[in-house]
Amino acid sequence: MRRFAKWTAAAMIAVGLLSGCTSEPPWRTHDIAGLVPELSFALTDDRGRSVSAKDYRGRVTLLFFGFTHCPDVCPTTLARLAETLRSIEAGRDDVRVLVVTVDPARDSTAVMHQYVQAFGSQFVGLRGDAAALDALTRRYRVTYTLGKPDAQGNYEVTHSTAVFVFGRDGLARLMFTPKDTTAAIAEDLRRLILASNHPKG
Amino acid sequence: MEFPHALLEGLIATAAFLAPWEISPSAMLLSGGALVVYWRGLRRVPSDARPSLKRRIAFITGVLLVYFVMQTRFDYLSQHMFFVHRLQHLVLHHLGPFLIALSEPLATLASGLPPRIGSGIVRRIWRLPVTRISYRIVQNAFVAPLLFVGLIWFWLTSRVHFNAMLSAPLYWVMNWSMLIDGLLFWVLILDPRTRRQGALLGFGPRIFLVLAAMVPQILIGAYITLAEQDLYDVYAVCGRAWDVEPLQDQRTGGVITWIPAAMMHAIAAVILVGRWARTDKNRPDRVSVSSSTCAGGA
């Protein structure tokens, strides 16, 4: 077992090095700095405008893959984010939550607009064609599946539950998962908003 | 006219499956290069020195299996399904290298290389003290099994696994480390030569070593199989390739880590015992396999 202990130590050091860990205190959610490429996409927002990652530079940007017919994960995740944002006073308007639909066939621009408005002004709905969507899911190594439609035309959709968090510079910083508590998300988000206010952070 | 249409669709689906998910020039070059060099080697070696058909099939199957799990849509499934990922590592760390080592391809590959590369570059690099010493270190009787088991354990640590599945470069490092270590380990274990003929370890120590390396893998496999909580939430977080209960996916993956991997070690031990008995019988100075050779060797 001592060998295993050594390997654990080696693993911890390796993980520390790989995640670019410095003397700063650890984040309470997943630190993904350096693991995931910077934010980049070309999609259409819920007002019908063509947008790219550049349009969100200077803001703390959250990226989530979902769909409006989603019964559980999406509304829960987005409602939790909305609640967290309400609890953050300073700088919450500097945050944008990008909701990318994995079901563009059913989620039109208008449907997306109505859906994201319910969560708050920081929420943006994004949609694109299959190629643009696949390029984005591949970039962040997430996947989604669309099931076969039943007699009523309804189908099952599976998708990622992760929220990717990017700093104002567009670099990947954190990942929120359903396991993270609202308190942890709020604390890290507050810290990220403050940290990226100063160029040093 | 139903049939040709279905056949065409099937062909298209197969072609789409066989297309690389993420093109890796290193994987393509190495597996393609290995096959070309091997084929050239086969043509150059006189027919009585050519490896048997069985050995040729073992080599080609090993290389093709490695290519298949790294450079087809199987790789996409490995990224989004824990049990497929375990199958991928079973091929990269066990089955592929095992078959390649069993086929003893080095002589054929060496004669297949163009002389300028073969006796020029490769031999010169191999003769460098740095290469020889580092090879001796990683193939040491204690280091080799530790590396073999340690790598499985390392990449299956929850946090490390999470990061490896999220980061493209880390994922690449993970798979290549498994493949390279698999080749090193099985070349060491399945060396057809005796210690006297130049093998790094005698048959006795190798049998001990391959069976000893089985135990921690059984423990890891059993731990994953019997775990009641989702150890690898990265698949839930990033989405599964199809709708399977996380624990069912995890249990299947655990069984793959546990049983087929352990069986490969048992098969290797059986092969080694057979070879040992044969070389012993062929030696005039020894009448029977005595237990003292075993203890002395280990």
Side-chain angles (χ1 to χ4, degrees):
Chain A
M1 285 316 276
R2 203 173 284 169
R3 286 173 186 175
F4 275 13
K6 266 186 205 162
W7 272 101
T8 317
M12 299 305 273
I13 292 164
V15 171
L17 291 174
L18 291 167
S19 55
C21 166
T22 55
S23 57
E24 280 177 46
W27 297 89
R28 290 186 62 188
T29 58
H30 286 277
D31 184 347
I32 58 162
L35 290 177
V36 162
E38 60 171 3
L39 189 63
S40 170
F41 62 82
L43 297 163
T44 309
D45 76 0
D46 58 279
R47 290 170 200 274
R49 295 174 297 205
S50 294
V51 287
S52 73
K54 278 197 192 112
D55 299 310
Y56 300 96
R57 283 283 149 84
R59 296 181 193 278
V60 171
T61 312
L62 281 60
L63 178 70
F64 178 71
F65 297 90
F67 64 113
T68 62
H69 285 66
C70 179
D72 38 36
V73 178
C74 316
T76 317
T77 308
L78 296 176
R80 240 153 60 95
L81 287 177
E83 188 196 324
T84 313
L85 285 174
R86 273 195 297 275
S87 77
I88 297 172
E89 275 141 31
R92 69 171 163 215
D93 289 328
D94 285 356
V95 177
R96 283 293 173 273
V97 184
L98 309 180
V99 184
V100 180
T101 175
V102 297
D103 186 17
R106 284 189 293 191
D107 293 340
S108 65
T109 306
V111 170
M112 285 301 283
H113 184 69
Q114 205 185 359
Y115 185 75
V116 295
Q117 282 301 299
F119 294 103
S121 56
Q122 297 98 343
F123 289 73
V124 180
L126 294 176
R127 74 189 284 277
D129 56 17
L133 178 60
D134 286 352
L136 192 58
T137 53
R138 209 182 249 236
R139 185 174 174 87
Y140 294 102
R141 297 173 94 73
V142 297
T143 193
Y144 67 95
T145 57
L146 306 175
K148 287 230 162 69
D150 65 11
Q152 281 80 45
N154 295 321
Y155 46 87
E156 289 279 319
V157 177
T158 69
H159 62 103
S160 144
T161 60
V163 178
F164 292 88
V165 185
F166 299 85
R168 292 177 200 264
D169 50 8
L171 296 180
R173 301 300 291 267
L174 298 169
M175 181 192 264
F176 302 153
T177 71
K179 269 191 194 165
D180 295 314
T181 61
T182 312
I185 291 176
E187 192 185 311
D188 279 0
L189 213 47
R190 230 178 253 131
R191 199 176 137 191
L192 192 60
I193 292 167
L194 285 176
S196 31
N197 263 339
H198 315 289
K200 262 198 311 183
Chain B
M1 293 308 281
E2 273 292 297
F3 179 63
H5 186 70
L7 190 73
L8 191 70
E9 270 187 357
L11 280 175
I12 291 170
T14 312
F17 191 87
L18 290 178
W21 171 247
E22 281 170 333
I23 291 175
S24 157
S26 43
M28 287 190 150
L29 258 166
L30 210 79
S31 34
L35 290 180
V36 170
V37 170
Y38 192 73
W39 177 73
R40 274 172 55 105
L42 283 180
R43 291 207 323 172
R44 289 194 180 183
V45 171
S47 56
D48 56 328
R50 263 179 218 157
S52 66
L53 184 65
K54 256 194 264 174
R55 278 171 57 194
R56 279 183 248 171
I57 292 173
F59 180 77
I60 293 166
T61 313
V63 173
L64 287 180
L65 272 174
V66 167
Y67 178 85
F68 177 78
V69 298
M70 280 183 128
Q71 285 292 281
T72 64
R73 196 127 174 131
F74 190 90
D75 184 44
Y76 161 78
L77 298 176
S78 309
Q79 290 176 25
H80 295 290
M81 209 58 138
F82 179 68
F83 87 86
V84 186
H85 152 76
R86 292 317 301 155
L87 278 176
Q88 185 188 43
H89 275 201
L90 184 69
V91 169
L92 289 179
H93 204 214
H94 285 81
L95 194 53
F98 187 98
L99 286 172
I100 292 169
L102 202 61
S103 76
E104 303 154 29
L106 279 181
T108 314
L109 287 173
S111 40
L113 278 174
R116 213 180 303 161
I117 300 177
S119 45
I121 301 170
V122 176
R123 190 168 294 177
R124 218 169 284 169
I125 292 175
W126 175 241
R127 282 190 180 157
L128 285 178
V130 188
T131 322
R132 301 201 69 105
I133 291 169
S134 12
Y135 187 74
R136 285 284 170 129
I137 291 172
V138 293
Q139 298 294 60
N140 173 278
F142 294 97
V143 178
L146 211 65
L147 258 180
F148 190 81
V149 174
L151 270 180
I152 301 174
W153 188 87
F154 176 74
W155 293 116
L156 279 174
T157 313
S158 286
R159 188 63 223 243
V160 176
H161 197 78
F162 191 97
N163 290 357
M165 284 298 167
L166 214 57
S167 153
L170 258 189
Y171 180 78
W172 188 90
V173 170
M174 170 174 77
N175 282 354
W176 277 96
S177 67
M178 292 308 267
L179 176 62
I180 292 167
D181 179 59
L183 284 168
L184 284 170
F185 184 78
W186 294 112
V187 162
L188 175 73
I189 295 294
L190 295 174
D191 195 328
R193 297 169 300 177
T194 61
R195 183 91 177 77
R196 267 187 201 186
Q197 287 165 340
L200 286 175
L201 292 170
F203 283 120
R206 282 192 262 154
I207 292 168
F208 175 77
L209 200 147
V210 79
L211 291 178
M214 185 165 105
V215 180
Q217 294 182 68
I218 291 174
L219 292 178
I220 298 168
Y223 174 73
I224 295 171
T225 311
L226 303 173
E228 293 291 332
Q229 75 276 27
D230 190 1
L231 299 170
Y232 305 107
D233 59 339
V234 68
Y235 299 93
V237 165
C238 292
R240 281 194 159 76
W242 61 88
D243 212 2
V244 174
E245 278 299 305
L247 274 185
Q248 198 195 327
D249 182 18
Q250 184 165 295
R251 278 187 204 122
T252 316
V255 170
I256 292 166
T257 313
W258 179 356
I259 293 161
M263 272 183 55
M264 303 277 308
H265 286 254
I267 293 169
V270 170
I271 292 173
L272 288 175
V273 169
R275 283 183 181 172
W276 196 10
R278 231 174 302 142
T279 53
D280 239 37
K281 222 187 279 171
N282 294 342
R283 277 173 58 178
D285 59 318
R286 191 153 305 163
V287 183
S288 68
V289 183
S290 65
S291 58
S292 64
T293 26
C294 178

